[in-house]
Amino acid sequence: MNTMGDFWVVNAGAAVPVVAYQLVSLILFFAGIYGFLTRRNIMMMLISVELILNAADINFAVFNRYLYPGQMDGMFFALFTIAIAACETAVAIAIIINVYRNFGNADVDNLKKMKG
Amino acid sequence: MEYTLLILLFPLTSFIVLGLFSNRLSHKAAGIIGTGALLAMTLLSFYAAWDYFTTPKAEGFYQTLIPFNTPWLHMGSHLHIDMGILLDPISVMMLVVISTVSLMVHIYSLGYMKGEKGFQRYYGFLSLFTFSMMGLVLSTNIFQMYIFWELVGVSSYLLIGFYYTRPEAVAASKKAFIVTRFADMFFLIGILVLSYYTQTFDFGTLMSGNETIFQHALSTRFLGASALVWAMALIFIGGAGKSALFPLHIWLPDAMEGPTPVSALIHAATMVVAGVYLVARLFPIYVAFTPEVLEGIAWVGAFTSMFAAVIAIVQTDIKRVLAFSTISQIGFMMVALGVSKLEGHEGLGYMASLFHLFTHAMFKALLFLGAGSIIHAVHSNEMERMGGLRTYMPVTHLTFLVACLSIAGIPPFSGFFSKDEILAAIYGYHTGLGIWMTVAAGFTAFYIFRLYFSIFWGKQTQYAHTPHESPRSMTFPLIFLAIPTLLGGFIPFGHFVTANRSVYTIHPDWPIMFISVLVSLTAIFIARKMYQYAGTKTGEASSGLKGFQKAAYHRFYVDEVYLFITKKILFNGIARAFAWFDHHVVDGSINGLASVTDWVSIKIRGFQSGEIQWYAYIFLFGTLLITALFLFM
């Protein structure tokens, strides 16, 4: 029996070790954290958040692949996260546009003025 | 006799209508409603009196009738407060007195208060007062009496402070309320002690002559006296406050800040005799179980009557003279009650006291209304500003003279008869006390004729505009009240009101009559000599008496003593300590709580900077910390 799942398990398992995936994920994650904490531009911070989300997605896919090769839960979760991230980005961009219109730039410090 | 309930409902309805619609009623309509309700009530009261006294007596004694009684408040299994109507000789007598005087005051006020701001309010309060006073005398139990007692106090307060824009009137109303309320506190304690030991509020049960209900109260002893003695003495203090007996008399002279008809009704004829009525109502208990309290009442009354008479001699405000005269006359009534016993001739004092209450209400109301008429014409209360008024105001002059002769005890005016009965009763009890009271009676004649001669005779005073006789609505009550003042003495009072409720025929005591008339005539003669033509004014006295006169003019500094006790000792000493505790401990703990919260919130405020990236740092390090904790613990 040569199903689609089996094909992935057999071929992927031999090619790349898990640590390699983990390394990529780790780099992406901390690149995202670093960007989020240091960038002043909200757009850049949003991109950083996307990086963090992608790091999480990679982890979902990899661990699903290695721990439960017969199941697809992790894959679906990754897809689900991508969908949520798309929505979140749409909302965030709407906010950013408004911030830009009001303040003339997209600097995150502007948002301090919104506190009560 | 259920219709007696209407006696209460007429003034109550009038009060409610006038109170609710005072702004929408014209002065005329308010006057008609108030006076009309009073007229209906008065006719009903007279009919009730006739009805009661013609009801056949049981074995020669007047019965107590309770035409209406309903439990109102249950307290525990035995004790309950009722609301009802009790008719017996004294309450029926009071019905007649109150309704007559109140009606006359209502009619008089139509003229006196004409055009005053708050005319409707005035009539509303008068109706409230009349209702409360009627409720007080008709009470079937001591607690109902207490409720109406307080209502009377509050309506008195409202009427004294009627001119609420004048600071003196406001201060006087507060003083009256606080002093009487202070006395009522003792009254309430007395009621509670009495009802605790006897398990009843009901006058019928208390007066039934059943000694067993008092056994518990008599056997319990506290500070050298039985609980019953304490209860009755405390109840008397309540009565002393309302009746302005020394040393609780200080509110009555100030109460004269109210409109003059109010002084006539409340502070001369009806409310201030509530204390006398209270003692008369509980008289069987006083005389049978606590004769020592009764003796104390006699001495307090005797002192008060002399004390107030002396002060009245030197006052210059005519209403103040009359106020001290009232205090003095109430003293007479109290002495008479104090020296009385229950049966036959020994019960003379009781009869005399209530007889004097009756005649005093008439002639003192007449005096006050006359004074109101004079004030209305002269626009001043001061005797210095008056003189020679007899030609300008003939009706006021004649009726005032009748009242003066009556209070001075000149036959055949009503005051002569009642005062003589009182003196006879006192001489029968203690000769020294009798002489003391005869002297007080002489002072009475002197001060009242000093007043009379200074106002109507004396020097011709220049008036800003010529005084004129008052309108008919004011002279009619004067003439009407002059009738009982002239003829009231011939009422066979002993046939109606006696201590044991049987019939007592008054026997004149010729020597005492002769002496008291002689004393009064002498006093009048001296007053005439001093004030009729020479116009001796109050500032002058023989040098030896200067100091005494000054002290009397300042009312023997009793008010100052009160001020010293309240201001210096209570306010400065005790109240200040409590104020410190309140400010520093009670307020301090609350303020401390608030400032700690404030301080903490200032400290935490830094976290809420609004900088997202700073939040993210903290979040990150928090997460790392928790992760580290999980990993290494």
Side-chain angles (χ1 to χ4, degrees), chain B residues 185-207:
Chain B
M185 181 184 73
F186 296 105
F187 186 18
L188 182 60
I189 297 171
I191 290 172
L192 295 179
V193 172
L194 184 68
S195 59
Y196 177 78
Y197 286 108
T198 59
Q199 285 296 305
T200 181
F201 290 120
D202 194 47
F203 285 135
T205 319
L206 289 171
M207 305 301 155

Side-chain angles (χ1 to χ4, degrees), chain B residues 472-493:
Chain B
R472 202 163 293 162
S473 61
M474 287 168 70
T475 51
F476 167 72
L478 295 178
I479 296 165
F480 187 94
L481 283 171
I483 296 166
T485 308
L486 264 170
L487 305 174
F490 297 105
I491 297 171
F493 207 76

